Structures are given as structure tokens and as C-alpha cells.
Amino acid sequence: MALFDNLKGKFTQVGQDAIQRTREMSEVARLESRISSAKDKINGLYGEIGYRIYMAYSDKPLPEVASLLAQVSGLHAEIDQAQVQINAINSATTCPRCKAKIDRNAAFCSECGLKIIRTAPNKQTQRVCVGCGKPLAADVLFCSECGTKQPIPEPADPQPADTQPVARACSNCGASVPADSAFCPSYGNKME
């Protein structure tokens, strides 16, 4: 009996030690999570501080950060160039009405039936910086190369009223369908 009582005591002690160790590990994990969360917040604040300093001193950089600001400006230029390329790719493969991805050579959108009219790209519509002549994305307000504030682009002139296609009514559901659409976007009916 004494042997079993002795074994029972040892198992009980081992179990209690395991429970205590598990509690300690759980508490350590919780504390490490709090530390990680606090570090993430600090890094976010550092980023915000850096961004505000960049915006405040990009035209007259402090000597201590001039090379870093130049690197940021260079990266902005890379981003702008990549965004222009993305916009060119997306505009060639996205339906202008429903924004569905379509085959580059499709004559009609497979989602809404819009007839796709291809036009040659106009090189003169590319925005360039008024300060340095660098190509710019359509939504850029400041040049990432020289920092010059850009004029807000004028909206494209709409077609004269007499040349704009007239909407039609779908014979099945009555929805308004643009004249250049082959299918009703609401019902899917082929337009005649």
C-alpha cells in the first residue's frame, strides 16, 4: 500500500507541476503577444512620424535624412511607373461598364454584353510633371521625382449630345440599356 501511496503522490506532484508549467507558458505567450502588439504599434507610429517628416521636409531635406528622402522619392517614381503600367494593362482587359475581366481581343463583354470598341492608344494623353517632365499616373498630385505640385487634370470632354448613343429599353424587363450594348445588363436578353 505504501508503494501505491508513494506512486500516487509522485503522479499527483508531476501532474501539478505540468499544470503549473502550462499556466506559466500560457502567461508567457500572452505577454509575448502584448509585446509584439506594442512593437507593431510603435513601428506604425515610427512610419507615421517618418511620413510626416518626409512631407514637411521633402523640398528642403534635413542633412541627416537627405539621402533617405532621396531614396523614398526614387521608390515613389518606381511605384508611379509601375502604376502607369498596371493601369494600361487593366484598361485593356477590363470592361468599361461592369469592370469584369475580359479577353484582350474580345468583341463583347462576356458579363454584360457591352460591345468593346478598341482604339489606338493616344500618347499625348500621358500626364507629365510640369517641373521635370517625368511621366505621371493620372491621380498623382505631386511629382515623386522633383516634388512639384501638379495641376489637377481637366476632365475629358464628353461627346456632344447629338453623337452620344441613346439608351433603349429591354423588351423583357424594361431596364435602360445603352445603345452600344448587345445584351441587357439586368436580364441578359439579346438586344435587337
Side-chain angles (χ1 to χ4, degrees), residues 65-146:
V65 295
S67 66
L68 296 174
L69 292 176
Q71 289 178 35
V72 170
S73 293
L75 292 170
H76 276 297
E78 287 180 32
I79 290 169
D80 290 345
Q81 290 172 349
Q83 190 63 52
V84 166
Q85 292 174 337
I86 288 170
N87 290 345
I89 291 168
N90 285 340
S91 68
T93 59
T94 303
C95 174
R97 179 191 299 145
C98 70
K99 307 301 183 214
K101 293 287 182 185
I102 56 174
D103 183 75
R104 198 178 294 267
N105 299 318
F108 294 91
C109 174
S110 59
E111 294 294 319
C112 70
L114 177 71
K115 183 174 182 173
I116 305 300
I117 299 171
R118 306 278 180 214
T119 58
N122 184 351
K123 298 282 183 187
Q124 294 179 355
T125 61
Q126 172 73 40
R127 283 186 65 209
V128 294
C129 174
V130 295
C132 68
K134 177 188 163 295
L136 300 172
D139 57 347
V140 172
L141 298 177
F142 292 90
C143 177
S144 61
E145 186 69 31
C146 69

Side-chain angles (χ1 to χ4, degrees), residues 5 22 46 48 90 95 144 165 192:
D5 288 339
T22 301
Y46 283 155
E48 182 65 24
N90 285 340
C95 174
S144 61
E192 297 297 327

